[in-house]
Amino acid sequence: MTDAAQEVAASLSAPSPTLDPKYFYDERGSALFDAITRTPEYYPTRTEAALLAEHADAMASELPGDLVIAEPGAGGCDKVRLLLDRWRPSGYMPLEISRQCLLDATRELAPRYPSVRFSAVCADYSQALSFPADDLGPARLVFFPGSTIGNFEPTARADFLAGLRRLAGDHGYLLIGADLQKDPARLNAAYNDARGHTAAFNRNALHHLNRRLNCGFDPDAFEHRAFYNESARRIEMHLECRRDQTISVADQRIQLPAGTRIHTENSYKFTVEGFSRELVDAGFAPLSSWVDEEGLFSIHLARA
Ligand code: AVI
């Protein structure tokens, strides 16, 4: 029996069933997430890209000329392209768990930037944080865009930020995106897009688990629920069972009566001041932050 099967069995048989958001991301899930980022409702990706484009020079003015960009969870290395174009760093180190993704992206990108030394690392987040920076070499800038930091629970987030601090090394920097608290209607729309991509992305966790662990979910019998929890300052995503179901995992049969909600994701929303404090707690010294005119999204630059 795999660790994954045991982990899923334990989380689904808990009094409040949950699933780890990592199960969203098989090949179809990554394509669906890509589709989400292009919906009119999901503002974070395009707002962050616009901020990077507008302020890339201002950011560079606070950084040393000789820089290696390290990007944990780089995926298709899309967001870094703008920085490679504008900054021409001496190196780029994508850290990504999907070998294929890493190979495809670096094979496409490396020839376009002959002056940038590519060192692709196939590793998951936890391993990614244990690549010591070379204190004698160029400064390392850790790039963590997309407000993925908002998908960590507060304690795990503090640990992860401290890990980013280690990855940056003593002379390094962090450039990180953080989605902001705002009108709940805007947030609710972003996680309930009219085309249904977010709903499909949410249900895809069940398709993924059926394929991997043969659980026997009927994904179409689950309703997508996403809403802003104002007191916890987070979007919550759930899958609500419309009819009684019994699934099986790790030699266990688990009953999911109609109305059961499986909590699949939290996406925390920040204030600029609050997020800066979290950076300080993790050992960073905040340098600057940039926010779009509507106050939707923030990018923070900090020194180790
Ligand atoms: C990857 N992450 C930053 C996304 C978010 O907004 O929390 C994941 C997502 N879930 C639903 N839509 C997007």
Side-chain angles (χ1 to χ4, degrees):
M1 193 178 310
T2 64
D3 289 353
Q6 270 163 347
E7 176 195 298
V8 169
S11 66
L12 286 179
S13 42
S16 306
T18 59
L19 274 179
D20 191 306
K22 70 184 174 199
Y23 294 112
F24 292 141
Y25 299 98
D26 59 359
E27 205 179 312
R28 179 164 175 264
S30 300
L32 283 167
F33 179 63
D34 230 52
I36 290 172
T37 65
R38 286 191 295 269
T39 61
E41 296 94 337
Y42 193 77
Y43 59 84
T45 311
R46 79 178 71 88
T47 310
E48 183 181 52
L51 281 172
L52 284 172
E54 188 179 346
H55 301 292
D57 293 345
M59 292 169 187
S61 72
E62 302 202 46
L63 294 167
D66 199 10
L67 207 62
V68 170
I69 299 177
E71 186 180 5
C77 307
D78 292 326
K79 294 178 177 164
V80 78
R81 288 168 202 232
L82 183 123
L83 301 182
L84 298 178
D85 282 334
R86 301 276 289 271
W87 295 355
R88 298 287 156 160
S90 46
Y92 174 52
M93 185 169 99
L95 302 115
E96 167 58 45
I97 191 167
S98 159
R99 193 175 192 80
Q100 200 52 51
C101 221
L102 196 60
L103 282 172
D104 291 348
T106 46
R107 277 193 188 126
E108 196 217 320
L109 272 190
R112 294 198 198 181
Y113 301 96
S115 65
V116 180
R117 196 163 53 85
F118 278 68
S119 357
V121 179
C122 188
D124 76 10
Y125 278 162
S126 50
Q127 296 166 310
L129 303 184
S130 51
F131 277 83
D134 170 8
D135 284 341
L136 300 175
R140 187 181 276 175
L141 173 102
V142 175
F143 182 46
F144 199 62
S147 201
T148 302
I149 194 66
N151 296 128
F152 289 76
E153 292 305 307
T155 308
R157 186 163 75 231
D159 291 346
F160 186 75
L161 286 172
L164 294 182
R165 166 68 186 76
R166 287 194 299 280
L167 182 64
D170 285 342
H171 307 291
Y173 295 83
L174 174 68
L175 186 64
I176 187 166
D179 195 13
L180 296 175
Q181 291 161 23
K182 59 184 64 66
D183 176 10
R186 186 84 192 243
L187 285 164
N188 286 329
Y191 291 82
N192 289 283
D193 64 284
R195 289 178 177 85
H197 292 318
T198 313
F201 174 73
N202 199 4
R203 281 190 203 100
N204 188 58
L206 306 182
H207 287 288
H208 182 186
L209 287 172
N210 279 347
R211 208 187 56 248
R212 251 176 87 174
L213 304 175
N214 202 17
C215 297
F217 284 108
D218 174 3
D220 293 333
F222 285 85
E223 204 77 60
H224 165 71
R225 301 261 179 241
F227 53 87
Y228 188 54
N229 175 336
E230 286 196 51
S231 56
R233 305 212 156 89
R234 66 190 191 201
I235 283 281
E236 293 186 11
M237 292 218 307
H238 301 254
L239 285 165
E240 185 175 319
C241 211
R242 277 197 295 239
R243 62 165 178 79
D244 296 353
Q245 281 192 51
T246 305
I247 61 119
S248 58
V249 59
D251 298 331
Q252 274 186 54
R253 290 173 73 70
I254 300 171
Q255 317 275 2
L256 299 172
T260 304
R261 279 189 174 186
I262 305 175
H263 192 159
T264 51
E265 186 182 56
N266 287 325
S267 188
Y268 285 85
K269 306 302 168 190
F270 304 94
T271 61
V272 170
E273 300 70 29
F275 194 71
S276 300
R277 275 197 299 276
E278 294 195 29
L279 292 178
V280 171
D281 291 345
F284 287 104
L287 292 174
S288 292
S289 54
W290 294 270
V291 175
D292 58 289
E293 275 175 11
E294 285 186 87
L296 299 176
F297 199 90
S298 61
I299 298 182
H300 300 247
L301 179 63
R303 198 164 29 83

